[in-house]
Amino acid sequence: MDRLFFSLGALSGALSVAAGAFGAHALKVRLAPDLLAVFETGARYQGLHALELLAAAWACAHWGGRLPRAAGWCFVAGTLLFSGSLYALALSGVRTLGAVTPFGGVLLLAGWLLLAATPWRSR
């Protein structure tokens, strides 16, 4: 699981850099400022949680157990829902897509809490 999370974290980090560059260069002239800010928020949170996925990979290798695995999957799903919904909202302009974003946010928070509990509940 540690290798999978590490690879997913590294790929997610690369995608967040690409999304940030795409937003800064290609979308800057095409999107309204409020939608560009939404897109940039998605890229920023994706980059941050790519690093947290690397931390989950390290915790899986170092401590093992269910908690770091659950944290890693929360980061994966949370990033897909949170950043993905923000990207979709910004690119489509469909504001109702923002209703998905809080579910991703809850998963990201759960990942942080699970990761925080990991060293105290490890084998």
Side-chain angles (χ1 to χ4, degrees):
M1 196 59 58
D2 55 330
R3 291 177 187 206
L4 175 63
F5 287 154
F6 194 90
S7 293
L8 289 174
L11 289 172
S12 185
L15 288 172
S16 75
V17 171
F22 180 65
H25 299 288
L27 296 180
K28 191 172 191 173
V29 297
R30 292 190 172 103
L31 291 182
D34 62 325
L35 292 176
L36 184 60
V38 167
F39 191 89
E40 289 172 347
T41 298
R44 185 172 49 255
Y45 274 74
Q46 182 177 355
L48 173 64
H49 289 91
L51 294 173
E52 287 311 309
L53 200 46
L54 297 178
W58 181 86
C60 283
H62 186 72
W63 289 304
R66 293 184 321 188
L67 291 181
R69 285 194 309 272
W73 287 118
C74 283
F75 291 135
V76 169
T79 298
L80 287 172
L81 290 175
F82 186 88
S83 293
S85 66
L86 292 179
Y87 294 148
L89 186 158
L91 294 173
S92 71
V94 177
R95 301 267 181 196
T96 56
L97 289 169
V100 175
T101 309
F103 294 105
V106 168
L107 285 168
L108 295 174
L109 286 169
W112 281 95
L113 295 172
L114 288 164
L115 203 56
T118 294
W120 307 107
R121 302 287 294 193
S122 66
R123 47 185 148 122

